[in-house]
Amino acid sequence: MCKDLMAQIGRNAKAAKSILAQASSEQKNHALLVAAKSLRDRSTEIMAANAIDMAEGTAKGLGTAILDRLLLTPERIEGVAKAVEDIAQLPDPVGTVIKSWTRQNGLRISRVRVPFGVIGIIYESRPNVTADAGAICLKSGNTCILRGGSDSVNSSRAIHTSMVDGLKAAGLPEACIQLIPTQDRDAVGILLTMTDTVDIIIPRGGKSLVARVQAEARVPVLAHLDGICHVYVHDKADPLKALNIAVDAKMRRTGICGAMETLLIDLNYPREAALEILDALAEKGCELRGDEAIRAIYPAAKAATEEDWRTEYLDAILSVRLVDGVDQAVNHIETYGSHHTDAIVTEDMAAAEAFLRQVDSAIVLHNASTQFADGGEFGFGAEIGIATGKLHARGPVAVEELTTYKSIIHGTGQTRAAPYRAAKR
Amino acid sequence: MCKDLMAQIGRNAKAAKSILAQASSEQKNHALLVAAKSLRDRSTEIMAANAIDMAEGTAKGLGTAILDRLLLTPERIEGVAKAVEDIAQLPDPVGTVIKSWTRQNGLRISRVRVPFGVIGIIYESRPNVTADAGAICLKSGNTCILRGGSDSVNSSRAIHTSMVDGLKAAGLPEACIQLIPTQDRDAVGILLTMTDTVDIIIPRGGKSLVARVQAEARVPVLAHLDGICHVYVHDKADPLKALNIAVDAKMRRTGICGAMETLLIDLNYPREAALEILDALAEKGCELRGDEAIRAIYPAAKAATEEDWRTEYLDAILSVRLVDGVDQAVNHIETYGSHHTDAIVTEDMAAAEAFLRQVDSAIVLHNASTQFADGGEFGFGAEIGIATGKLHARGPVAVEELTTYKSIIHGTGQTRAAPYRAAKR
């Protein structure tokens, strides 16, 4: 039964995708603006649906963090509506000519951006993803199949109604944004293997979700599993920059994928300045776990184990290590990192360039906080996540990254071999 | 034992990849030029090795076509050497800034091309792939692990020796181009799942090889399974262009992935001109398989079955169908095609644009032969194949497509939250 349902959803998506791929920017934007208005108009409904999820979540004993992610307030709904409007304002990538050139034989070749077609998005407790993801896919001309978490099922359904309001008003098929109506876990397994229908899968959620998707998917996945981000304070670092960047990278928000998890301090970095960074972090409430060299100079730090270097705490905990120069820093990052986002703080340009070149991560920074690893901070507007894979999109995945390209060739009758019949003169 | 061997090959590749990724264009080109010279110098050796493969192949009863693909002659070896030199002449994509921009907060962001790292290439009887693929990977800064076919094992090993000569001369690790030294089939299975080491897999060979790779790989694959390419002769087609394009698309070379497999003729295209195309194809030795409408006007055609529309003949056989307008042509292509390369012949620009927009294939052409689906014809120099997947590279996969990118961000101490400590004035 779940199989039949998913097959029907697949057929709906396929039927809608060619219409959506040809839709004008105006039509897509109209759908988004009406959806935003509908989110505001239906605010009471959406909160009523959310109240059911919150009550069930409380009864189920969900943790405070999950309940907070689940909660919708008038302000949060306004935020969701505003985010959808912001997506309408972004440039439409579809039809953009990436490059074009003319061959000696007169063939004109253009690489033109086109939508993928059908995107599957699997997420957990945040109901706002229903609007965000739906809107980003719509803007990029992609039909989407959304699978929300069981905790937010009522909230997601209510938000989805508003997205459909937008589609209807713009004369677009409702199936441009489908929400899988069942919580049957088999639906996810089927979605992950619908290679004939689904072009890419994007998981948004915790590590166990991403790991399951990466393990089971036969459809290509854009995702990151871990964000084990490093800041390396080089011996030529400016102490004020190092202090501010380290504190921001760890403590601005500890639960995001761009948060620093390991601080590498050069052993030639002035001792006093190093201690100042550790004191500031401790003062902000961060637990420090150091290697022996760190504990020798900062005995308040706990002992870091091998496991610490591989851990994404997503919390006010930091592993700290003394390293001997850029090479050892790079080596640590390549050994333990997750190829997400890593930064060096230094005034020595040669050291900076060596680090930026050698660290094989999606995002590498010089003298800036790792918390800039965010599509919005890149100027991309809304992002659907950060990808650490190397294929297609690396780093923030925003509207443009949700497109592929085709090669369009205009000729005047060209053949590769001599023509079968020559033109008459 | 095969497992240990592959693990060692993986470690070698990983150790070599960071060195190769940092190598200068000069160093890589030097390696390629010395390898080309070595191929010429070792020509006798290579032919001797090839003679063993040819003898074994003949004894095994390999078909003429396979034996021809396997055969190396002085001219062919010269061609292989020349191809390697040509790759040295191509622009180096590594380090190219794809785009860069500055944010209001002063962060300078650049998207810079970098190699993938490690590429696995699995191929069949053509021993020249050992040089071609090795050279393309080297040029793009990628370490490669090559797995040649069992029929060409001696030839591939001899060619590989020349590639290693080039690497040594340029001071690059020999492991930049590794040839798996065993024909144990398990080696392929292991290579396809070395997700920690191998970044992408490229299969080069027949459908059964590609299908196996796509089914078993856990590493991302760049490939195409089928090239079911169409030419649609619109009712407003210029008859001379239609005739020449149809004959070229089918008959220039029938065994390549860009060869036309199905001809769609608009039912409003002048009857006489349509018959002229079919006569020309038949005269060139092509077997025609038509639908009922075609057979009504061209009784010499055999009856096409449903299976014919889904078949990549790679031979002098063509399925032919009468269609009613652009929409029906697009619909046929979307139903039966393989999203590889499809062409329309017409003088009606609106019809051409509708076709080019709606056909969801890697390459779409207007008034040109589908046999232009080739990296060389795109001006990319050597290509390693055509990809029909939508992720990363769509269409010809050449040197540039074997790179990914990283985002490099230069700051001056930026933090996302307010700095922990303000600068002194």
PDB file of all heavy atoms in Angstrom, chain A residues 15 21-22 31 44 73 81 90 111 141 149 164 180 201 216 249 264 268-269 279 285-286 299 307 320 347 386 403:
ATOM      1  N   ALA A  15       4.680  14.119 -13.731  1.00  0.00           N
ATOM      2  CA  ALA A  15       3.742  14.883 -14.558  1.00  0.00           C
ATOM      3  C   ALA A  15       3.914  16.381 -14.319  1.00  0.00           C
ATOM      4  O   ALA A  15       3.830  17.189 -15.240  1.00  0.00           O
ATOM      5  CB  ALA A  15       2.305  14.452 -14.257  1.00  0.00           C
ATOM      6  N   ALA A  21       9.230  23.033 -14.947  1.00  0.00           N
ATOM      7  CA  ALA A  21      10.512  23.389 -15.571  1.00  0.00           C
ATOM      8  C   ALA A  21      10.340  24.489 -16.605  1.00  0.00           C
ATOM      9  O   ALA A  21      11.258  25.266 -16.865  1.00  0.00           O
ATOM     10  CB  ALA A  21      11.147  22.148 -16.208  1.00  0.00           C
ATOM     11  N   GLN A  22       9.139  24.562 -17.212  1.00  0.00           N
ATOM     12  CA  GLN A  22       8.878  25.576 -18.241  1.00  0.00           C
ATOM     13  C   GLN A  22       8.223  26.838 -17.679  1.00  0.00           C
ATOM     14  O   GLN A  22       7.993  27.788 -18.413  1.00  0.00           O
ATOM     15  CB  GLN A  22       7.950  25.000 -19.327  1.00  0.00           C
ATOM     16  CG  GLN A  22       8.354  23.648 -19.888  1.00  0.00           C
ATOM     17  CD  GLN A  22       9.699  23.687 -20.574  1.00  0.00           C
ATOM     18  OE1 GLN A  22      10.048  24.682 -21.195  1.00  0.00           O
ATOM     19  NE2 GLN A  22      10.484  22.626 -20.447  1.00  0.00           N
ATOM     20  N   ALA A  31       3.403  32.269  -7.122  1.00  0.00           N
ATOM     21  CA  ALA A  31       3.059  31.149  -6.237  1.00  0.00           C
ATOM     22  C   ALA A  31       3.681  31.348  -4.852  1.00  0.00           C
ATOM     23  O   ALA A  31       3.038  31.120  -3.819  1.00  0.00           O
ATOM     24  CB  ALA A  31       3.527  29.835  -6.847  1.00  0.00           C
ATOM     25  N   THR A  44      -3.534  31.034  12.478  1.00  0.00           N
ATOM     26  CA  THR A  44      -4.272  30.440  13.602  1.00  0.00           C
ATOM     27  C   THR A  44      -4.406  28.921  13.413  1.00  0.00           C
ATOM     28  O   THR A  44      -4.143  28.142  14.334  1.00  0.00           O
ATOM     29  CB  THR A  44      -5.676  31.069  13.701  1.00  0.00           C
ATOM     30  OG1 THR A  44      -5.537  32.482  13.557  1.00  0.00           O
ATOM     31  CG2 THR A  44      -6.331  30.732  15.031  1.00  0.00           C
ATOM     32  N   THR A  73       5.264  29.881  16.741  1.00  0.00           N
ATOM     33  CA  THR A  73       4.621  31.026  17.387  1.00  0.00           C
ATOM     34  C   THR A  73       4.228  31.972  16.256  1.00  0.00           C
ATOM     35  O   THR A  73       4.687  31.799  15.123  1.00  0.00           O
ATOM     36  CB  THR A  73       5.623  31.738  18.317  1.00  0.00           C
ATOM     37  OG1 THR A  73       6.715  32.210  17.496  1.00  0.00           O
ATOM     38  CG2 THR A  73       6.167  30.796  19.386  1.00  0.00           C
ATOM     39  N   ALA A  81       6.952  32.927   6.649  1.00  0.00           N
ATOM     40  CA  ALA A  81       6.341  33.633   5.506  1.00  0.00           C
ATOM     41  C   ALA A  81       7.354  34.585   4.866  1.00  0.00           C
ATOM     42  O   ALA A  81       7.486  34.652   3.635  1.00  0.00           O
ATOM     43  CB  ALA A  81       5.104  34.401   5.975  1.00  0.00           C
ATOM     44  N   LEU A  90      14.858  36.292  -4.955  1.00  0.00           N
ATOM     45  CA  LEU A  90      16.163  35.848  -5.472  1.00  0.00           C
ATOM     46  C   LEU A  90      16.137  35.759  -7.000  1.00  0.00           C
ATOM     47  O   LEU A  90      15.089  35.556  -7.594  1.00  0.00           O
ATOM     48  CB  LEU A  90      16.502  34.463  -4.896  1.00  0.00           C
ATOM     49  CG  LEU A  90      16.753  34.395  -3.394  1.00  0.00           C
ATOM     50  CD1 LEU A  90      16.897  32.936  -2.962  1.00  0.00           C
ATOM     51  CD2 LEU A  90      17.996  35.184  -3.006  1.00  0.00           C
ATOM     52  N   ARG A 111      25.968  26.338 -22.509  1.00  0.00           N
ATOM     53  CA  ARG A 111      25.628  25.569 -21.315  1.00  0.00           C
ATOM     54  C   ARG A 111      24.577  26.361 -20.568  1.00  0.00           C
ATOM     55  O   ARG A 111      24.848  27.467 -20.097  1.00  0.00           O
ATOM     56  CB  ARG A 111      26.846  25.450 -20.406  1.00  0.00           C
ATOM     57  CG  ARG A 111      27.510  24.144 -20.519  1.00  0.00           C
ATOM     58  CD  ARG A 111      28.492  23.946 -19.393  1.00  0.00           C
ATOM     59  NE  ARG A 111      29.284  22.791 -19.748  1.00  0.00           N
ATOM     60  CZ  ARG A 111      30.264  22.306 -19.031  1.00  0.00           C
ATOM     61  NH1 ARG A 111      30.608  22.898 -17.891  1.00  0.00           N
ATOM     62  NH2 ARG A 111      30.924  21.251 -19.403  1.00  0.00           N
ATOM     63  N   GLY A 141      12.744  25.644  -9.972  1.00  0.00           N
ATOM     64  CA  GLY A 141      12.044  24.907 -11.029  1.00  0.00           C
ATOM     65  C   GLY A 141      11.920  23.417 -10.784  1.00  0.00           C
ATOM     66  O   GLY A 141      11.603  22.654 -11.687  1.00  0.00           O
ATOM     67  N   GLY A 149       9.189  14.911   9.583  1.00  0.00           N
ATOM     68  CA  GLY A 149       9.295  14.020  10.727  1.00  0.00           C
ATOM     69  C   GLY A 149       7.943  13.739  11.354  1.00  0.00           C
ATOM     70  O   GLY A 149       6.988  14.505  11.190  1.00  0.00           O
ATOM     71  N   VAL A 164       0.396  24.892  -1.168  1.00  0.00           N
ATOM     72  CA  VAL A 164      -0.508  24.488  -2.258  1.00  0.00           C
ATOM     73  C   VAL A 164      -1.405  25.655  -2.671  1.00  0.00           C
ATOM     74  O   VAL A 164      -1.696  25.841  -3.858  1.00  0.00           O
ATOM     75  CB  VAL A 164      -1.323  23.247  -1.828  1.00  0.00           C
ATOM     76  CG1 VAL A 164      -2.418  22.942  -2.838  1.00  0.00           C
ATOM     77  CG2 VAL A 164      -0.391  22.041  -1.672  1.00  0.00           C
ATOM     78  N   ILE A 180       4.549  13.748   1.653  1.00  0.00           N
ATOM     79  CA  ILE A 180       4.163  12.337   1.798  1.00  0.00           C
ATOM     80  C   ILE A 180       3.204  12.219   2.973  1.00  0.00           C
ATOM     81  O   ILE A 180       3.542  12.613   4.093  1.00  0.00           O
ATOM     82  CB  ILE A 180       5.407  11.439   2.005  1.00  0.00           C
ATOM     83  CG1 ILE A 180       6.310  11.519   0.769  1.00  0.00           C
ATOM     84  CG2 ILE A 180       4.997   9.999   2.287  1.00  0.00           C
ATOM     85  CD1 ILE A 180       7.597  10.716   0.880  1.00  0.00           C
ATOM     86  N   ILE A 201      18.365  13.516  -3.570  1.00  0.00           N
ATOM     87  CA  ILE A 201      17.781  13.456  -2.229  1.00  0.00           C
ATOM     88  C   ILE A 201      18.604  14.382  -1.338  1.00  0.00           C
ATOM     89  O   ILE A 201      19.834  14.354  -1.376  1.00  0.00           O
ATOM     90  CB  ILE A 201      17.894  12.024  -1.644  1.00  0.00           C
ATOM     91  CG1 ILE A 201      17.016  11.036  -2.414  1.00  0.00           C
ATOM     92  CG2 ILE A 201      17.576  12.014  -0.148  1.00  0.00           C
ATOM     93  CD1 ILE A 201      15.567  11.049  -2.045  1.00  0.00           C
ATOM     94  N   GLU A 216      21.426   4.036   2.472  1.00  0.00           N
ATOM     95  CA  GLU A 216      20.362   3.342   1.733  1.00  0.00           C
ATOM     96  C   GLU A 216      20.075   3.908   0.358  1.00  0.00           C
ATOM     97  O   GLU A 216      19.497   3.223  -0.489  1.00  0.00           O
ATOM     98  CB  GLU A 216      19.055   3.376   2.544  1.00  0.00           C
ATOM     99  CG  GLU A 216      19.067   2.472   3.760  1.00  0.00           C
ATOM    100  CD  GLU A 216      17.705   2.481   4.455  1.00  0.00           C
ATOM    101  OE1 GLU A 216      16.672   2.727   3.806  1.00  0.00           O
ATOM    102  OE2 GLU A 216      17.692   2.255   5.676  1.00  0.00           O
ATOM    103  N   ALA A 249      33.522  31.398  16.701  1.00  0.00           N
ATOM    104  CA  ALA A 249      33.415  30.116  15.979  1.00  0.00           C
ATOM    105  C   ALA A 249      32.834  29.035  16.887  1.00  0.00           C
ATOM    106  O   ALA A 249      32.074  28.175  16.448  1.00  0.00           O
ATOM    107  CB  ALA A 249      34.775  29.683  15.441  1.00  0.00           C
ATOM    108  N   LEU A 264      43.100  24.454  17.148  1.00  0.00           N
ATOM    109  CA  LEU A 264      44.508  24.093  17.035  1.00  0.00           C
ATOM    110  C   LEU A 264      45.323  25.358  17.274  1.00  0.00           C
ATOM    111  O   LEU A 264      45.138  26.362  16.574  1.00  0.00           O
ATOM    112  CB  LEU A 264      44.793  23.540  15.635  1.00  0.00           C
ATOM    113  CG  LEU A 264      43.963  22.318  15.223  1.00  0.00           C
ATOM    114  CD1 LEU A 264      44.187  21.984  13.744  1.00  0.00           C
ATOM    115  CD2 LEU A 264      44.299  21.104  16.099  1.00  0.00           C
ATOM    116  N   ASN A 268      54.180  27.941  18.768  1.00  0.00           N
ATOM    117  CA  ASN A 268      54.932  29.188  18.810  1.00  0.00           C
ATOM    118  C   ASN A 268      54.054  30.420  18.939  1.00  0.00           C
ATOM    119  O   ASN A 268      54.553  31.545  18.904  1.00  0.00           O
ATOM    120  CB  ASN A 268      55.824  29.308  17.565  1.00  0.00           C
ATOM    121  CG  ASN A 268      56.920  28.263  17.588  1.00  0.00           C
ATOM    122  OD1 ASN A 268      57.588  28.080  18.607  1.00  0.00           O
ATOM    123  ND2 ASN A 268      57.078  27.543  16.485  1.00  0.00           N
ATOM    124  N   TYR A 269      52.758  30.206  19.065  1.00  0.00           N
ATOM    125  CA  TYR A 269      51.861  31.339  19.310  1.00  0.00           C
ATOM    126  C   TYR A 269      52.106  31.786  20.751  1.00  0.00           C
ATOM    127  O   TYR A 269      52.216  30.952  21.652  1.00  0.00           O
ATOM    128  CB  TYR A 269      50.412  30.898  19.123  1.00  0.00           C
ATOM    129  CG  TYR A 269      49.393  32.011  19.253  1.00  0.00           C
ATOM    130  CD1 TYR A 269      49.382  33.082  18.362  1.00  0.00           C
ATOM    131  CD2 TYR A 269      48.447  31.981  20.269  1.00  0.00           C
ATOM    132  CE1 TYR A 269      48.439  34.096  18.474  1.00  0.00           C
ATOM    133  CE2 TYR A 269      47.492  32.989  20.392  1.00  0.00           C
ATOM    134  CZ  TYR A 269      47.502  34.048  19.493  1.00  0.00           C
ATOM    135  OH  TYR A 269      46.570  35.050  19.621  1.00  0.00           O
ATOM    136  N   ASP A 279      40.813  31.118  28.385  1.00  0.00           N
ATOM    137  CA  ASP A 279      40.074  31.748  29.477  1.00  0.00           C
ATOM    138  C   ASP A 279      38.742  32.320  28.994  1.00  0.00           C
ATOM    139  O   ASP A 279      37.711  32.180  29.650  1.00  0.00           O
ATOM    140  CB  ASP A 279      40.907  32.886  30.095  1.00  0.00           C
ATOM    141  CG  ASP A 279      41.950  32.358  31.084  1.00  0.00           C
ATOM    142  OD1 ASP A 279      41.735  31.251  31.648  1.00  0.00           O
ATOM    143  OD2 ASP A 279      42.972  33.040  31.281  1.00  0.00           O
ATOM    144  N   GLY A 285      31.506  29.689  29.220  1.00  0.00           N
ATOM    145  CA  GLY A 285      30.807  28.448  29.581  1.00  0.00           C
ATOM    146  C   GLY A 285      31.197  27.250  28.743  1.00  0.00           C
ATOM    147  O   GLY A 285      30.489  26.239  28.726  1.00  0.00           O
ATOM    148  N   CYS A 286      32.329  27.329  28.070  1.00  0.00           N
ATOM    149  CA  CYS A 286      32.747  26.215  27.227  1.00  0.00           C
ATOM    150  C   CYS A 286      33.638  25.241  27.993  1.00  0.00           C
ATOM    151  O   CYS A 286      34.587  25.661  28.663  1.00  0.00           O
ATOM    152  CB  CYS A 286      33.498  26.758  26.008  1.00  0.00           C
ATOM    153  SG  CYS A 286      33.974  25.467  24.851  1.00  0.00           S
ATOM    154  N   PRO A 299      45.902  23.749  33.047  1.00  0.00           N
ATOM    155  CA  PRO A 299      45.525  22.528  33.776  1.00  0.00           C
ATOM    156  C   PRO A 299      44.012  22.382  33.976  1.00  0.00           C
ATOM    157  O   PRO A 299      43.535  21.264  34.214  1.00  0.00           O
ATOM    158  CB  PRO A 299      46.229  22.698  35.131  1.00  0.00           C
ATOM    159  CG  PRO A 299      47.273  23.747  34.906  1.00  0.00           C
ATOM    160  CD  PRO A 299      46.755  24.641  33.838  1.00  0.00           C
ATOM    161  N   GLU A 307      39.047   9.951  20.658  1.00  0.00           N
ATOM    162  CA  GLU A 307      37.668  10.102  20.202  1.00  0.00           C
ATOM    163  C   GLU A 307      37.254  11.573  20.101  1.00  0.00           C
ATOM    164  O   GLU A 307      36.447  11.951  19.237  1.00  0.00           O
ATOM    165  CB  GLU A 307      36.736   9.345  21.166  1.00  0.00           C
ATOM    166  CG  GLU A 307      35.353   9.045  20.646  1.00  0.00           C
ATOM    167  CD  GLU A 307      35.321   8.463  19.245  1.00  0.00           C
ATOM    168  OE1 GLU A 307      36.276   7.735  18.881  1.00  0.00           O
ATOM    169  OE2 GLU A 307      34.366   8.762  18.497  1.00  0.00           O
ATOM    170  N   VAL A 320      41.080  20.904  22.205  1.00  0.00           N
ATOM    171  CA  VAL A 320      42.145  21.871  21.930  1.00  0.00           C
ATOM    172  C   VAL A 320      43.474  21.142  21.853  1.00  0.00           C
ATOM    173  O   VAL A 320      43.764  20.265  22.680  1.00  0.00           O
ATOM    174  CB  VAL A 320      42.242  22.946  23.048  1.00  0.00           C
ATOM    175  CG1 VAL A 320      43.170  24.081  22.612  1.00  0.00           C
ATOM    176  CG2 VAL A 320      40.882  23.496  23.418  1.00  0.00           C
ATOM    177  N   GLU A 347      48.621  36.500  10.219  1.00  0.00           N
ATOM    178  CA  GLU A 347      48.947  37.689   9.428  1.00  0.00           C
ATOM    179  C   GLU A 347      49.968  37.337   8.346  1.00  0.00           C
ATOM    180  O   GLU A 347      50.364  38.200   7.561  1.00  0.00           O
ATOM    181  CB  GLU A 347      49.500  38.805  10.328  1.00  0.00           C
ATOM    182  CG  GLU A 347      48.519  39.292  11.388  1.00  0.00           C
ATOM    183  CD  GLU A 347      47.211  39.802  10.770  1.00  0.00           C
ATOM    184  OE1 GLU A 347      47.269  40.737   9.944  1.00  0.00           O
ATOM    185  OE2 GLU A 347      46.134  39.237  11.086  1.00  0.00           O
ATOM    186  N   ILE A 386      24.392  22.376   3.690  1.00  0.00           N
ATOM    187  CA  ILE A 386      25.791  22.434   3.267  1.00  0.00           C
ATOM    188  C   ILE A 386      26.151  21.034   2.775  1.00  0.00           C
ATOM    189  O   ILE A 386      25.841  20.056   3.445  1.00  0.00           O
ATOM    190  CB  ILE A 386      26.707  22.779   4.467  1.00  0.00           C
ATOM    191  CG1 ILE A 386      26.309  24.092   5.123  1.00  0.00           C
ATOM    192  CG2 ILE A 386      28.175  22.756   4.069  1.00  0.00           C
ATOM    193  CD1 ILE A 386      26.974  25.319   4.625  1.00  0.00           C
ATOM    194  N   THR A 403      20.201  23.400  -9.517  1.00  0.00           N
ATOM    195  CA  THR A 403      20.030  23.249 -10.962  1.00  0.00           C
ATOM    196  C   THR A 403      21.187  22.440 -11.524  1.00  0.00           C
ATOM    197  O   THR A 403      22.248  22.349 -10.932  1.00  0.00           O
ATOM    198  CB  THR A 403      20.012  24.623 -11.677  1.00  0.00           C
ATOM    199  OG1 THR A 403      21.251  25.301 -11.429  1.00  0.00           O
ATOM    200  CG2 THR A 403      18.855  25.471 -11.203  1.00  0.00           C
TER     201      THR A 403
END
